[in-house]
Amino acid sequence: MIPWKRKSPDAEEKAKEALKASEPPKEPPIEFFPEEPRYSFEEIILPQSVKDKILDVANYAENSKKVFEEWGLQTVYKQSRQIGINLYGAPGTGKTMAAHAIAKHLGRKILIVNYADIESKYVGETPKNIRKAFEAAKASNSILFFDEADAILSKRVTNMTSANDVSVNQTRSVMLMLMNDYQDFVIFATNFISNFDPAFMRRISTHIEFKLPDLDCRKKLWRHYILPTMPNNIDIDELAEKYDGISGSDIANAVLMAAFKAARQNAELVDKSLVAEAIESTLASREANSGMKVTVRKATPEEVKEIMAEQQKEGFTK
């Protein structure tokens, strides 16, 4: 019989290190840092009707301390300090800039949350990260801003078939609870409001649509980005009238790309044809993207037989 022999301390330590090395690496803890708002309402160009709606909600938040604390209305209006505003609409229409402008208007920092930053492959970690975001915003007295919020506020899974489905529903439930308890201002922005779960829609007090700029806004946007210090022969009125259905982001990118192309060509000025070329390229790519639709239809038994017969004929199947 071979006597049992205790492992040496060095062997035990090596065994522990080997076990630790075999474990999957853990994700580093998520940290949230508020930042100073980058835009003000004076720096963004929006239709006046949209700006007025935003200011109505922002002023509600601005005056809530006086109304609820100094005047004591919090004793009878228990949940009225919950202020949620959802900015929705096409990409590039100024939603993120508006979120920064709201925070600046209120004299507070902004804490930005993107789902890609808080999503975890470990079950249960994503809800914890969301909770941390709410806690960090409260501790720093920052405005909490969920960008691309449809990723977090989308419809819950009704027929759960995997651990991922369970995790998604858990995340949604925690988000609902946090929104119910949070007595401050929260901003959401999305390009896809149709993806929102109805439960979240009910808990957000105001929804403001951001549409593509009208003629007046397009003129203001072109003037904003075409600076007098940049030599050019661009006709702003002509551009604004000719190109409809473009966003403020499209206009900003077109001017910048045209300026860089003119500089590369050692041109004396930014020619209007370069701006038109940049906008035309944007519109062409958008049209191509929207036109790439695939329709999937289940083949009939007769069609399957025909396909199989053809493949056998060509030698693809036995």
Side-chain angles (χ1 to χ4, degrees):
M1 181 176 178
I2 300 174
W4 177 81
K5 185 178 180 181
R6 178 183 174 85
K7 288 183 179 179
S8 68
D10 288 345
E12 287 185 358
E13 194 64 30
K14 288 180 180 179
K16 288 179 182 179
E17 290 178 0
L19 181 61
K20 188 176 181 180
S22 66
E23 293 176 352
K26 293 184 178 180
E27 294 178 340
I30 301 293
E31 294 187 38
F32 297 94
F33 301 99
E35 59 183 77
E36 293 292 341
R38 296 195 298 269
Y39 304 99
S40 67
F41 280 117
E42 291 71 30
E43 296 173 289
I44 61 176
I45 298 170
L46 295 170
Q48 192 59 45
S49 59
V50 173
K51 189 175 289 189
D52 288 342
K53 289 178 182 177
I54 295 172
L55 286 171
D56 286 343
V57 182
N59 288 333
Y60 183 99
E62 189 175 25
N63 295 322
S64 63
K65 182 176 176 65
K66 176 186 288 187
V67 172
F68 292 114
E69 295 182 17
E70 294 179 17
W71 294 355
L73 268 68
Q74 61 185 354
T75 58
V76 288
Y77 292 93
K78 303 292 185 182
Q79 302 296 324
S80 295
R81 293 187 68 177
Q82 294 176 349
I83 311 168
I85 176 172
N86 178 38
L87 315 176
Y88 71 96
T93 49
K95 300 183 292 297
T96 299
M97 295 175 72
H100 281 263
I102 292 170
K104 195 173 189 71
H105 178 79
L106 296 175
R108 297 167 68 180
K109 291 185 177 181
I110 186 169
L111 194 151
I112 304 171
V113 181
N114 291 292
Y115 189 70
D117 297 332
I118 62 173
E119 184 182 23
S120 173
K121 61 184 178 182
Y122 298 104
V123 175
E125 286 299 311
T126 302
K128 289 181 183 178
N129 292 336
I130 295 175
R131 191 185 298 276
K132 285 181 183 178
F134 276 88
E135 291 171 351
K138 184 177 181 180
S140 60
N141 191 35
S142 303
I143 298 297
L144 188 55
F145 172 45
F146 288 91
D147 204 1
E148 299 181 356
D150 50 281
I152 305 175
L153 308 185
S154 60
K155 296 178 176 65
R156 285 164 288 185
V157 182
T158 53
N159 298 315
M160 293 182 289
T161 59
S162 66
N164 183 64
D165 293 340
V166 175
S167 180
V168 167
N169 282 0
Q170 182 187 23
T171 299
R172 305 295 180 268
S173 297
V174 169
M175 187 71 182
L176 280 170
M177 181 186 68
L178 291 169
M179 288 174 64
N180 283 337
D181 295 339
Y182 196 65
Q183 298 296 306
D184 203 345
F185 201 93
V186 185
I187 307 174
F188 304 93
T190 179
N191 301 336
F192 306 102
I193 191 173
S194 59
N195 291 350
F196 274 27
D197 190 290
F200 291 116
M201 292 290 291
R202 291 192 299 270
R203 283 166 175 79
I204 299 173
S205 55
T206 305
H207 300 269
I208 300 176
E209 183 179 10
F210 280 58
K211 296 182 178 179
L212 292 171
D214 57 17
L215 178 60
D216 182 57
C217 269
R218 291 198 300 275
K219 288 181 179 180
K220 290 178 180 178
L221 285 163
W222 283 115
R223 291 193 185 98
H224 179 75
Y225 288 108
I226 300 173
L227 299 176
T229 51
M230 182 183 76
N232 70 89
N233 62 356
I234 301 168
D235 187 329
I236 289 175
D237 289 337
E238 179 184 351
L239 283 173
E241 291 174 6
K242 182 176 181 180
Y243 296 109
D244 191 6
I246 58 175
S247 69
S249 178
D250 295 333
I251 291 172
N253 289 336
V255 174
L256 188 62
M257 291 300 100
F260 270 102
K261 189 165 186 176
R264 182 173 60 82
Q265 295 174 345
N266 293 320
E268 295 182 358
L269 53 77
V270 179
D271 191 79
K272 60 182 181 180
S273 64
L274 298 178
V275 179
E277 178 184 329
I279 284 293
E280 293 283 358
S281 176
T282 297
L283 292 174
S285 63
R286 188 172 299 157
E287 183 179 352
N289 180 262
S290 62
M292 292 171 63
K293 297 179 181 179
V294 178
T295 302
V296 179
R297 179 178 64 83
K298 188 175 181 180
T300 65
E302 290 75 16
E303 289 173 330
V304 172
K305 289 179 181 178
E306 290 180 7
I307 293 170
M308 292 296 293
E310 188 66 28
Q311 289 181 339
Q312 287 179 345
K313 182 179 178 181
E314 297 293 334
F316 295 124
T317 61
K318 293 182 180 179

